[in-house]
Amino acid sequence: MSIAAYIKIIGRGKEGARSLGVEEARDLFEQVLDRQVTDLEIGAFCLAMRIKSESTEELDGFVQASHARCIDLSGATQEAPQGIVVLPSYNGARKLPNLTALLAWELSRQGVRVLVHGPSRDPGRVTTARVFDAAGLPIVSDASALQAAWQAGRPAFMDIADLCPPMDKLLAVRWTIGLRTPAHSVAKLLDPFAAASPDSIKSIRVVNHTHPEYAISMAEFIQHIHANAMLMRGTEGEPVADARRQPKCDVYLNGQRAQELCLTPEEGVLTSLPELPGSHSAEDTAAYIHAIQVGQSPMPPAIKAQASALVQALARGT
């Protein structure tokens, strides 16, 4: 079906629009990712979805289309006997230190293989890529480099431009229209290892949201596709627990909520705060991570608990 026909369905406003089925959504998103449509049509699609919001079936189709366009990383999985944690990192730090790299390092220290993906640069924000670079952690662009990082027992960051070039181009539409697009929601759901056969290495993705309504839609998506995932409210949109206070983290295995692995949010007034970097710059954040690595500073309990829950989830799933 032409994209104009799809836009006619989804573009009738929040009350008048209807949602697409999985196959329709996949066909639409394939046309958008492959640039088989005009820039005007892409803009119309993005704005229509911004107003309507994505249904579970639409997210399924969009993610399927995106996974099909990710590069093949299966060559690295032989280095992941304990499983893989995927950390989609798309917001960066605006006020607080971006500690996604710290979570990635802690998971790697416990023997889990970690892939962080996201943009390398974001105007006005400190991306995880910048923290990885400042901390001397591996930034990779293909399966062989990822395998080498994992062989060394280290987490790896991959730019979305390398992992899924069409997605990177769609994410860039934001800078033209001035609004986040469906690409942002889809990118946060990408796990390039999720399509592996049941006998292959297991992976779990950390799905974070910034607004309560997204917690509902993301949970429905995780259940719908029978995913292994940790769903949580991110720290400034990053997939890492707030170092100051334990957030709620719901763990799903094959789409079923695993109550015994879920983390309860810390309530009430904080009586103490951990020592955090003096600024949220990549350099200060990297220095803070180094202090934890060498034992000069303690690991924030919330991040330690998040890492432990993910390790336990993988142990259950493999």
Side-chain angles (χ1 to χ4, degrees):
M1 187 185 295
S2 72
I3 191 173
Y6 290 131
I7 292 173
K8 187 175 181 180
I9 295 170
I10 64 175
R12 295 181 178 273
K14 194 167 184 65
E15 302 300 328
R18 76 166 176 84
S19 295
L20 303 175
V22 174
E23 293 305 317
E24 292 175 312
R26 177 168 182 156
D27 179 43
L28 166 59
F29 216 62
E30 286 174 340
Q31 293 184 55
V32 171
L33 290 174
D34 293 343
R35 294 295 171 123
Q36 297 175 355
V37 295
T38 65
D39 289 346
L40 181 60
E41 288 171 315
I42 291 175
F45 159 68
C46 290
L47 289 174
M49 293 305 301
R50 175 80 178 188
I51 295 169
K52 185 185 83 67
S53 77
E54 304 89 356
S55 69
T56 299
E57 289 75 17
E58 287 167 339
L59 282 174
D60 188 0
F62 295 167
V63 171
Q64 285 186 35
S66 303
H67 277 158
R69 284 152 182 78
C70 288
I71 63 173
D72 183 9
L73 297 177
S74 60
T77 58
Q78 60 184 302
E79 301 298 332
Q82 291 183 239
I84 301 163
V85 173
V86 178
L87 300 175
S89 173
Y90 285 85
N91 282 50
R94 187 170 49 181
K95 297 179 181 178
L96 299 171
N98 178 358
L99 298 179
T100 299
L102 177 60
L103 172 63
W105 174 80
E106 174 62 13
L107 287 164
S108 294
R109 189 186 67 81
Q110 297 191 41
V112 171
R113 302 315 186 203
V114 183
L115 173 66
V116 186
H117 63 78
S120 289
R121 299 287 173 183
D122 187 336
R125 304 230 178 177
V126 178
T127 63
T128 299
R130 288 177 57 190
V131 177
F132 260 66
D133 183 51
L137 294 171
I139 296 176
V140 303
S141 59
D142 56 30
S144 61
L146 177 61
Q147 182 177 1
W150 285 356
Q151 281 177 334
R154 310 182 80 196
F157 178 91
M158 183 175 288
D159 194 318
I160 187 62
D162 295 313
L163 176 63
C164 186
M167 176 59 68
D168 178 61
K169 292 178 181 177
L170 186 56
L171 285 165
V173 172
R174 174 191 177 190
W175 308 118
T176 299
I177 66 175
L179 294 170
R180 292 186 185 273
T181 71
H184 193 78
S185 295
V186 174
K188 284 188 168 188
L189 294 170
L190 292 184
D191 175 358
F193 307 100
S197 68
D199 296 329
S200 298
I201 294 295
K202 295 290 186 180
S203 63
I204 184 168
R205 72 194 87 175
V206 177
V207 178
N208 88 92
H209 58 87
T210 52
H211 302 289
E213 60 269 24
Y214 283 108
I216 298 172
S217 62
M218 294 302 184
E220 290 175 348
F221 170 79
I222 290 166
Q223 294 168 327
H224 172 73
I225 68 166
H226 306 290
N228 297 326
M230 173 181 278
L231 177 64
M232 61 179 290
R233 181 160 189 167
T235 304
E236 292 194 312
E238 281 294 307
V240 61
D242 191 328
R244 303 167 301 173
R245 183 195 296 268
Q246 175 65 59
K248 179 183 179 183
C249 295
D250 287 331
V251 176
Y252 294 82
L253 297 177
N254 297 317
Q256 299 295 315
R257 188 171 179 272
Q259 175 62 41
E260 68 279 9
L261 297 176
C262 297
L263 300 176
T264 303
E266 184 179 356
E267 306 289 355
V269 178
L270 293 174
T271 57
S272 63
L273 289 172
E275 292 187 13
L276 294 175
S279 80
H280 68 286
S281 71
E283 293 73 22
D284 283 353
T285 303
Y288 173 72
I289 292 172
H290 177 71
I292 293 174
Q293 289 172 328
V294 299
Q296 293 178 351
S297 295
M299 174 70 69
I303 296 177
K304 185 176 181 179
Q306 182 186 7
S308 178
L310 288 166
V311 171
Q312 291 179 63
L314 281 175
R316 284 268 305 274
T318 53

